[in-house]
Amino acid sequence: MIDTRRYDKKLRNIYLGYLVRLLHKKYFVAMSPLAKKLGLNANYFRDFTKGDKRISEERLDLLEELLNDLYGSLLVDEVPQNRIEFNDFINTLSDSLIYKEIIR
């Protein structure tokens, strides 16, 4: 999985929220344990995954580490692993059809 710490916070919120939502919908991963690990209310975390709320840089870093450790092998197949392709992916994600299908 490509590290997103060099991307801006808004993009990271969109991207990591999308990944959690994707894991939840496609692989039946429960969101509550992730929220608890981040020290967030489950409802707030759910709103974050829908793009309605934002989380801090520190929590984004922790979430990315958790997703990479726990689900990295699944996510390798879900997002581009080539840096140039990933850059295009993350920069256009919020306007993409796949984002709209997964988030709503």
Side-chain angles (χ1 to χ4, degrees):
M1 221 169 94
I2 291 178
D3 186 327
T4 64
R5 281 179 275 202
R6 70 177 190 89
Y7 290 91
D8 104 358
K9 186 178 173 185
K10 182 180 176 187
L11 277 179
R12 290 185 76 206
N13 269 277
I14 291 167
Y15 171 68
L16 294 171
Y18 165 79
L19 290 183
V20 172
R21 200 78 170 176
L22 174 72
L23 288 166
H24 177 70
K25 284 189 170 187
K26 188 171 182 179
Y27 299 103
F28 304 101
V29 171
M31 287 192 236
S32 295
L34 290 172
K36 187 174 183 178
K37 189 73 173 169
L38 295 172
L40 293 171
N41 173 285
N43 289 333
Y44 189 93
F45 189 68
R46 187 192 66 239
D47 289 344
F48 156 72
T49 68
K50 291 189 327 186
D52 296 338
K53 302 279 185 186
R54 305 257 185 242
I55 60 176
S56 70
E57 198 79 40
E58 295 79 23
R59 285 190 170 127
L60 289 171
D61 292 344
L62 180 57
L63 177 58
E64 186 166 7
E65 288 173 24
L66 285 170
L67 294 178
N68 193 29
D69 288 346
L70 298 172
Y71 308 109
S73 58
L74 290 173
L75 294 172
V76 164
D77 293 334
E78 300 294 341
V79 296
Q81 297 304 302
N82 172 290
R83 177 65 70 182
I84 294 168
E85 291 173 5
F86 180 78
N87 208 26
D88 290 340
F89 174 80
I90 196 170
N91 284 310
T92 60
L93 180 61
S94 63
D95 296 324
S96 70
L97 188 56
I98 188 77
Y99 180 81
K100 290 175 175 98
E101 287 178 16
I102 295 296
I103 297 303
R104 300 295 170 202

